[in-house]
Structures are given as structure tokens and as C-alpha cells.
């Protein structure tokens, strides 16, 4: 119901109103158009005709800090014979919310929403500027009502464009300012490259400072909202406050790295530290304030910090800092830019030509001054370093001349000493070679069993750990065969221990002769017990080898003088892929169980270990 009443009211308002902007068929652009505005608290748009309107004769309107919505009224008439597609631009990219009411020819009401609180993709035209599309038929005029809801300094103007002309203008504008922004960005990368090669911290500080100014200027022109964070309305609204204070605050480490180390007294250094801490705290607290208060607080803190920078710069220049033009010029440009923006935010200054271009030019020249100063400081530091190196080289050359005489005397003594050293070295090499041979013999004795000349138990334990790890790594089957001479005690008791030792040696020879692969090996495990280590051997192969050995021993007869001794062996086998490298004795334990089973079953046989599930 309210919407229909609003449509009727707009139609009635259109009849008596005169055209504020008259267009013909040759219209291209009109900047700074006239409009009327009011701060009356009108909750119902039908009551706007009773509001107190003030007329603004084109140009920039600076109202300073505002706390309530502002209504604008514009009438545009097309006196040409052709329809025109126009763009009405609200020239302030940082306005929070813009609501537009456009009366259509069929008495319909078109409502559009723009501003920082509106996502970019929801604007009528996806553009960084606040653009209102208009379509005017021939000999038709339209009333346009605009409500501005902005928290903070309110400064704007209205301009009307032919769409083609606006595209041409914006292309030239983006080209010029894009080149300047690209130049600033190139200085950022240059300082980063210089930091990479020199490792001087002031280069990364300069890069951060220039990057902050670059972000500030592209934020003011709306490029950052369009290309960087179009979905972050919070950052778009608070970005100006944060970037102004951040770009000012970054002068603190810059002054510290350039002036503070050598050209500033202790009290001034302490004051610079306090300024940096206070500025950082204020930067963190900005997000907790309303947007308008955050912007004003940012400018106030930045102005105070800049005045402090100027004072510290004066102290540093007085004490001998050379780059007075660069550092003082940067601080003065920063002060000028901040002071003008602050006065403009208060509504004191309203000149359009000193609006955003001043911020851009100040940021550009500050970036150039900072880059020049840092580069010159590095060059001076490098020159002083080279000069100091040359002085050290000259001093060392003088010392070298004195040392040459000493060296001549020392050469003779050194030649005699070298001769003696060579003699002693030769004697030492001979002694070491003899020790190596002795060590190899000891190592061989440590690895071999003294009786059978096969590898002993100690070497078996090491080799088993290695093969278990290989089996786990390569997922190959490892087989262990435990062998024991049957009734060996009776041989010792009947024929004596000497005959028993000869029987053990004969078994060892038979076992070595049965092995065909170089990596298969036999070990004496203890007493009359032997073990075969068979890497990469499945259970069937281990069983076949053990049966062959058992058969060979059964057919073998040991002859000692007139004695002929027959004996047999029993064997136990365990084959598996290793799963636990920390428990290598599992193989010997299970093979020993199988050997014990062979003994229980009557000896002279080979038994393969089976767990309970396999037995079932």
C-alpha cells in the first residue's frame, strides 16, 4: 500500500517541478551539476515536499562530519529527439550507503542501492565509482531522489555523463593513475630486491611504507574495493582510517633505521619508541570505534605523530644526518597531506582541485624521497665499508712486508722440520698398516668360530638384525633353519670330546657345501647346534635345502682311524616376512620350537613351524 502511495506522490511531484538539468541530443558531460539537499529527518518519502530544501550551485559540497542521512533532489530533462543512456556519478568512492529513487515514465518506481555497505556485485554497475544508470526518452524529464547515509566526513559532488564519454574519460583517468600506481609498486619491489641482496632492514621498512601509501591511494579511488577485497565491506569502510594511520606509523621504523642509530640522542630515541608503541595501540583500537570517529581519530593521531617526526628529524639533521632534503621533505609532505584531509573532513576546506590528487601526489613524492634516501644511505654505507676495507688492506700489506723477512728465516727451519716430519710420518704409516692387518685378523677371529671356521653366534645376531630389516623393507621372505646333531651327548660319552669336536667340524663342512647362494650363510649357534640364515627364501626352498642336508648327513659316515661313526641331525624351519624389526629373535625362537618338535617326533627329520591357526 505504501509503495503505491509513494508512486502517486512522485507522479504529482513531477508536474510542478522545473528541470535543474536540461539536455539536448549533443550532450556529452556535465560536471558539478546543481542539486538541492536537506537534512530533515524524513522517514516517509511522501513527506519530502514539506522538507526544507537548500540549493547547491554545482561543484563540491563539503558538509564535514554528519550524523544523520542527507536527501538530494535532482531533476533531469531530455529535450532532444532521441533517447539517451546516461550515468549520474556521485563523486565520492567512500560513501557508506546511497539509496536512489528514480521515477519511471510508466509511474513505476526504480530503487537502486550503492555504497561501501553494498557488495560490489550488487551495485547497478560493477564499478569502483558510485554510478547511477539513467535512461531518458525524448522530451521526458525525471525526478531523482538520493539518500546518503554516511558515518564520517561527507564530501561529494554530482556529475552527469554520456556513457561513451564516461568510458573515454575513465580510460584516460585509469591510464594516468594506473601508471603512477605502477610506479609506486615498482618502488616497492625495488626496495624488496635491494633488501634481498643487501639484507639491510631499512629497505624492507621502506617497501612496507610505500606499499601502505599505495594501498591508501588505490583505496581512496576505489580500485582496491573493485580488484582486491570486493566482498569485504568492513575493510572498505575502515580501510581509510587504518591505512592513514598505518602509513604514518611506518615512519617510526624508517626514522629509527636511518636517523636514530647514529644521529639521535638517547632521549629522542626513547621518544620515538614511545610514539611507535602508542601509534600501534591506536591502530589496533580503531576497529572498535564507529567509522566516523575512527577516521577522525586516525587523522588526529597521525598529525601528532608527524609533528613528532618533524621534531626528531630536526634533531637528527642538527646532529649531522646528511639527507635532510629527503627526510624533511617526506615529513612535510605527509604533514601537508594529513592536515588538508583533516581540515577537509571537518568541512573547513572545500576546493575540489585539492582533494584526492593531492593525496596521490604527496604519496608519490614521499615514495620517491624515501627510496632515494634509502638508496643513498646504502651507497654511503657501502663506500665507507669499501674505504675501511682498503685501509685494512693497506695495513695488511705493510704487515706482509715485515713478515716476509720472518718467513725467510722460518722457511729454513720449516724445511728441516718437514724432513723430520716426513720421516716420522713414514714410520707412522708403516706402524698403522701393521695395526690394520692385526685388526683385520682380530676382526676375523671375532667373527669366526675357532673350531669349525664358520661364523659364530655374535656375528649371527648382527646379521639377523640386518636381514630382518631387509625383509621388512623389501617385503621378502626370510627363512631361518635351526639344526642340531642327534644324540651328540652319547657320542661324546662313548668316543670322547675330541671325536665330538671332529663330528661338529664335519657337520659344519657339510652345511657349507650344501649352500649354493653367496648370501646364504651357516653359523655355529652353540655346542652341536647350527643355524642357516636364508634371505629371500620361501618356506618350500628352505624345507628342500634342510631335507637335502639331513639326507647328506644321514648318508655320511665319519671315519677316524679305525672308528666309523654314523649320526643324524634334526632341523626346525621358520619362514616369514618380517613385521617387527625390533624383535629379530622371533625367527630363532620359532625355528627353535620347530627343532624341539622334530626332536620330540623321533629326530632325524625336518619340521616347519606352524602357528595354531595353520595347524587347524
Amino acid at each position: 500500500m505504501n509503495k503505491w502511495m509513494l508512486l502517486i506522490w512522485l507522479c504529482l511531484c513531477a508536474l510542478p517541478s522545473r528541470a535543474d538539468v536540461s539536455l539536448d541530443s549533443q550532450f556529452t558531460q556535465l560536471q558539478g551539476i546543481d542539486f538541492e539537499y536537506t537534512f530533515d529527518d524524513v522517514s516517509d518519502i511522501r513527506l519530502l515536499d514539506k522538507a526544507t530544501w537548500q540549493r547547491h550551485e554545482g561543484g563540491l559540497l563539503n558538509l564535514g562530519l554528519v550524523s544523520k542521512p542527507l536527501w538530494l533532489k535532482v531533476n533531469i530533462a531530455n529535450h532532444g529527439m532521441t533517447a539517451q543512456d546516461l550515468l549520474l556519478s556521485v563523486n565520492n568512492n567512500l560513501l557508506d550507503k546511497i539509496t536512489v529513487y528514480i521515477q519511471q515514465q510508466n509511474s513505476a518506481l526504480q530503487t537502486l542501492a550503492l555504497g561501501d555497505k553494498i557488495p560490489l556485485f550488487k551495485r547497478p554497475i560493477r564499478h569502483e565509482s558510485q554510478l547511477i544508470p539513467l535512461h531518458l526518452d525524448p522530451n521526458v524529464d525525471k525526478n531523482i531522489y538520493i539518500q546518503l547515509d554516511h558515518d564520517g566526513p561527507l564530501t561529494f559532488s554530482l556529475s552527469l555523463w554520456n556513457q561513451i564519454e564516461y568510458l573515454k574519460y575513465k580510460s584516460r583517468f585509469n591510464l594516468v593513475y594506473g601508471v603512477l600506481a605502477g610506479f609506486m609498486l615498482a618502488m616497492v619491489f625495488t626496495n624488496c630486491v635491494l633488501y634481498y641482496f643487501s639484507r639491510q632492514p631499512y629497505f624492507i621498512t621502506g617497501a612496507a611504507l610505500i606499499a601502505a601509501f599505495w594501498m591508501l591511494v588505490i583505496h581512496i579511488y576505489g580500485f582496491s574495493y573493485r580488484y582486491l577485497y570486493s566482498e569485504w565491506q568492513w575493510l572498505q569502510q575502515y580501510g581509510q582510517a587504518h591505512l592513514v594511520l598505518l602509513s604514518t606509523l611506518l615512519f617510526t621504523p624508517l626514522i629509527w633505521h636511518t636517523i636514530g642509530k647514529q644521529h639521535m640522542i638517547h632521549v629522542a630515541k626513547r621518544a620515538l619508541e614511545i610514539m611507535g608503541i602508542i601509534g600501534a595501540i591506536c591502530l589496533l583500537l580503531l576497529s572498535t570505534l564507529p567509522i566516523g570517529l575512527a577516521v577522525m581519530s586516525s587523522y588526529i593521531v597521525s598529525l601528532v605523530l608527524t609533528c613528532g617526526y618533524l621534531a626528531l628529524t630536526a634533531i637528527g639533521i642538527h646532529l649531522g644526518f646528511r639527507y635532510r632534503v629527503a627526510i624533511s621533505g617526506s615529513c612535510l609532505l605527509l604533514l601537508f597531506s594529513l592536515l588538508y584531509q583533516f581540515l577537509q573532513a571537518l568541512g573547513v576546506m572545500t576546493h575540489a582541485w585539492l582533494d584526492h590528487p593531492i593525496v596521490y601526489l604527496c604519496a608519490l613524492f614521499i615514495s620517491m624521497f624515501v627510496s632515494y634516501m634509502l638508496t643513498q644511505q646504502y651507497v654511503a654505507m657501502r663506500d665507507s665499508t669499501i674505504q675501511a676495507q682498503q685501509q685494512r688492506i693497506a695495513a695488511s700489506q705493510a704487515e706482509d712486508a715485515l713478515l716476509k723477512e720472518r718467513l725467510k728465516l722460518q722457511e729454513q727451519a720449516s724445511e728441516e722440520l718437514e724432513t723430520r716430519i716426513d720421516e716420522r710420518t713414514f714410520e707412522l704409516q708403516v706402524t698403522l698398516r701393521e695395526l690394520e692387518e692385526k685388526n683385520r685378523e682380530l676382526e676375523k677371529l671375532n667373527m669366526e668360530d675357532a673350531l669349525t671356521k664358520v661364523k659364530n653366534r655374535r656375528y649371527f645376531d648382527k646379521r639377523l638384525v640386518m636381514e630382518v630389516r631387509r625383509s621388512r623393507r623389501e617385503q621378502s621372505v626370510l627363512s631361518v633353519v635351526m639344526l642340531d646333531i642327534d644324540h651328540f651327548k652319547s657320542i661324546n660319552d662313548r668316543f670322547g670330546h675330541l671325536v665330538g669336536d671332529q663330528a661338529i667340524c664335519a657337520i659344519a663342512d657339510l652345511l657349507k657345501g650344501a649352500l649354493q647362494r653367496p648370501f646364504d650363510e651357516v653359523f655355529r649357534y652353540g655346542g652341536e647346534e647350527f643355524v642357516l640364515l636364508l634371505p629371500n627364501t620361501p618356506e618350500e626352498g628352505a624345507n628342500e635345502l634342510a631335507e637335502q642336508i639331513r639326507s647328506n648327513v644321514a648318508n655320511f659316515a665319519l671315519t677316524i682311524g679305525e672308528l666309523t661313526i654314523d649320526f643324524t641331525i634334526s632341523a626346525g624351519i621358520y619362514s616369514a616376512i618380517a613385521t617387527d624389526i625390533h624383535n629379530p629373535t622371533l625367527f630363532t625362537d620359532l625355528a627353535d620350537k620347530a627343532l624341539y618338535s622334530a626332536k620330540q617326533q623321533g629326530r632325524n627329520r625336518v619340521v616347519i613351524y606352524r602357528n595354531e591357526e595353520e595347524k587347524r
Side-chain angles (χ1 to χ4, degrees):
M1 185 64 181
N2 291 335
K3 185 174 181 180
W4 286 106
M5 295 177 68
L6 177 62
L7 292 174
I8 296 172
W9 175 82
L10 286 174
C11 294
L12 294 175
C13 288
L15 295 175
S17 63
R18 65 182 181 85
D20 292 329
V21 182
S22 298
L23 310 178
D24 56 20
S25 58
Q26 302 299 322
F27 172 77
T28 58
Q29 62 172 318
L30 182 60
Q31 299 196 34
I33 64 176
D34 300 341
F35 58 88
E36 295 180 283
Y37 68 93
T38 180
F39 276 106
D40 291 353
D41 187 8
V42 179
S43 58
D44 191 345
I45 196 172
R46 293 171 297 173
L47 302 177
L48 281 174
D49 58 337
K50 299 179 181 179
T52 303
W53 293 93
Q54 301 181 50
R55 188 167 185 82
H56 179 68
E57 300 294 337
L60 182 71
L61 177 62
N62 189 346
L63 298 173
L65 293 173
V66 296
S67 58
K68 55 183 178 179
L70 171 71
W71 282 93
L72 307 178
K73 179 172 66 175
V74 181
N75 181 268
I76 302 175
N78 181 13
H79 293 163
M81 301 303 295
T82 59
Q84 296 199 43
D85 292 318
L86 307 174
L87 294 175
L88 178 62
S89 174
V90 183
N91 299 321
N92 186 341
N93 299 323
L94 303 179
L95 295 176
D96 292 342
K97 187 177 181 181
I98 304 173
T99 306
V100 184
Y101 302 94
I102 305 174
Q103 174 195 349
Q104 302 297 321
Q105 189 173 3
N106 57 358
S107 299
L109 181 65
Q110 182 183 9
T111 304
L112 303 176
L114 303 87
D116 289 346
K117 291 185 178 180
I118 306 299
L120 189 65
F121 68 91
K122 290 186 178 180
R123 292 185 182 182
I125 298 177
R126 188 175 295 183
H127 198 269
E128 64 271 9
S129 302
Q130 312 287 4
L131 299 178
I132 304 169
L134 300 175
H135 177 79
L136 269 70
D137 292 326
N139 296 316
V140 171
D141 62 336
K142 286 188 177 183
N143 282 328
I144 302 170
Y145 292 88
I146 304 173
Q147 185 183 33
L148 301 181
D149 188 358
H150 183 70
D151 183 8
L154 183 58
T155 304
F156 69 95
S157 63
L158 298 181
S159 58
L160 191 64
W161 295 81
N162 179 280
Q163 291 187 359
I164 302 299
E165 290 299 322
Y166 184 80
L167 289 176
K168 294 178 181 179
Y169 160 77
K170 202 61 180 178
S171 298
R172 293 191 298 270
F173 179 91
N174 290 346
L175 176 61
V176 174
Y177 285 94
V179 170
L180 296 179
F183 183 64
M184 292 180 65
L185 200 58
M187 285 188 284
V188 173
F189 287 114
T190 301
N191 281 277
C192 291
V193 170
L194 290 174
Y195 168 75
Y196 176 79
F197 287 105
S198 66
R199 297 301 177 183
Q200 296 299 324
Y202 49 77
F203 280 121
I204 202 67
T205 302
L209 175 64
I210 300 173
F213 277 109
W214 178 77
M215 284 294 298
L216 176 61
V217 294
I218 68 170
H219 175 85
I220 290 175
Y221 283 93
F223 296 128
S224 58
Y225 188 54
R226 180 177 181 182
Y227 297 108
L228 298 181
Y229 41 81
S230 59
E231 304 297 329
W232 298 351
Q233 286 76 40
W234 177 89
L235 185 57
Q236 173 67 7
Q237 291 179 298
Y238 279 94
Q240 183 181 6
H242 284 83
L243 291 173
V244 166
L245 183 53
L246 177 62
S247 57
T248 305
L249 185 61
L250 285 174
F251 268 83
T252 301
L254 179 69
I255 293 176
W256 174 261
H257 286 302
T258 54
I259 301 178
K261 291 185 177 181
Q262 299 177 355
H263 306 91
M264 195 178 295
I265 59 179
H266 177 72
V267 176
K269 292 180 180 179
R270 186 61 179 170
L272 185 64
E273 293 177 357
I274 296 174
M275 290 168 58
I277 293 173
I278 293 175
I281 294 174
C282 294
L283 182 64
L284 295 176
L285 294 178
L286 286 180
S287 301
T288 63
L289 302 176
I291 298 174
L293 183 58
V295 173
M296 299 307 296
S297 301
S298 174
Y299 281 118
I300 292 172
V301 176
S302 298
L303 285 169
V304 173
L305 291 177
T306 305
C307 293
Y309 296 151
L310 284 171
L312 296 175
T313 301
I315 295 173
I317 293 175
H318 178 72
L319 295 176
F321 185 66
R322 293 189 299 174
Y323 309 107
R324 55 176 60 91
V325 175
I327 190 64
S328 58
S330 299
C331 293
L332 288 174
L333 284 173
L334 178 64
L335 179 63
F336 175 75
S337 175
L338 291 172
L339 186 61
Y340 188 82
Q341 291 180 77
F342 182 63
L343 294 177
Q344 195 176 45
L346 293 176
V348 176
M349 305 183 74
T350 60
H351 298 289
W353 67 276
L354 283 177
D355 187 16
H356 296 158
I358 282 297
V359 180
Y360 216 130
L361 293 176
C362 288
L364 179 62
F365 282 105
I366 289 172
S367 303
M368 294 172 62
F369 283 150
V370 169
S371 297
Y372 169 78
M373 179 181 62
L374 297 181
T375 304
Q376 288 299 317
Q377 181 170 348
Y378 175 70
V379 171
M381 183 189 68
R382 185 198 60 184
D383 292 343
S384 63
T385 303
I386 293 174
Q387 184 178 1
Q389 290 176 349
Q390 290 176 347
Q391 292 176 354
R392 288 195 295 268
I393 291 172
S396 64
Q397 288 176 349
E399 293 177 357
D400 290 342
L402 295 175
L403 290 174
K404 286 181 179 178
E405 296 297 328
R406 297 180 182 178
L407 290 174
K408 290 180 180 179
L409 298 175
Q410 291 178 354
E411 283 179 359
Q412 297 176 356
S414 63
E415 289 177 357
E416 297 177 0
L417 182 61
E418 286 178 0
T419 303
R420 295 179 181 178
I421 290 174
D422 290 340
E423 294 175 355
R424 300 299 182 188
T425 303
F426 178 74
E427 294 175 358
L428 181 60
Q429 289 176 349
V430 172
T431 305
L432 289 176
R433 195 174 296 112
E434 293 175 353
L435 286 175
E436 288 179 358
E437 293 176 356
K438 296 296 183 181
N439 285 332
R440 283 194 290 270
E441 292 177 1
L442 289 174
E443 185 178 358
K444 184 176 180 181
L445 292 175
N446 194 37
M447 291 170 50
E448 287 186 352
D449 179 59
L451 177 64
T452 61
K453 305 305 179 183
V454 299
K455 297 298 187 296
N456 58 17
R457 170 72 177 272
R458 180 183 299 174
Y459 183 69
F460 169 75
D461 293 337
K462 295 180 181 179
R463 179 73 184 278
L464 178 62
V465 172
M466 296 170 54
E467 295 301 336
V468 166
R469 290 179 179 174
R470 180 186 298 177
S471 173
R472 168 69 182 277
R473 183 175 61 254
E474 299 178 357
Q475 291 295 295
S476 59
V477 178
L478 174 64
S479 295
V480 174
V481 182
M482 300 289 292
L483 305 104
D484 185 77
I485 301 175
D486 297 331
H487 303 293
F488 182 74
K489 186 175 182 304
S490 63
I491 295 175
N492 275 341
D493 294 340
R494 182 178 177 184
F495 301 105
H497 290 283
L498 292 178
V499 175
D501 290 343
Q502 293 186 27
I504 291 174
C505 292
I507 293 297
D509 293 337
L510 287 173
L511 294 177
K512 287 192 293 184
L515 299 180
Q516 301 297 325
R517 299 186 302 180
F519 45 81
D520 292 341
E521 204 157 4
V522 59
F523 305 86
R524 186 180 180 190
Y525 198 70
E528 71 277 14
E529 193 171 10
F530 294 85
V531 60
L532 299 180
L533 191 60
L534 308 175
N536 198 17
T537 303
E539 184 181 276
E540 295 80 5
N543 183 49
E544 182 179 349
L545 178 62
E547 284 289 350
Q548 179 184 350
I549 293 172
R550 185 199 62 78
S551 177
N552 291 343
V553 172
N555 296 327
F556 173 75
L558 177 62
T559 301
I560 303 175
E562 298 179 355
L563 294 176
T564 300
I565 303 172
D566 297 326
F567 48 82
T568 61
I569 62 170
S570 299
I573 301 174
Y574 177 67
S575 301
I577 298 175
T579 58
D580 185 5
I581 61 174
H582 301 291
N583 187 19
T585 58
L586 176 66
F587 282 83
T588 55
D589 292 342
L590 297 181
D592 192 62
K593 287 185 179 181
L595 175 60
Y596 180 77
S597 178
K599 294 286 189 179
Q600 293 295 321
Q601 295 178 20
R603 295 181 174 82
N604 191 23
R605 65 187 66 237
V606 177
V607 174
I608 300 174
Y609 176 81
R610 296 283 190 272
N611 55 31
E612 296 299 328
E613 294 181 359
E614 293 175 341
K615 291 178 181 179
R616 297 192 189 99

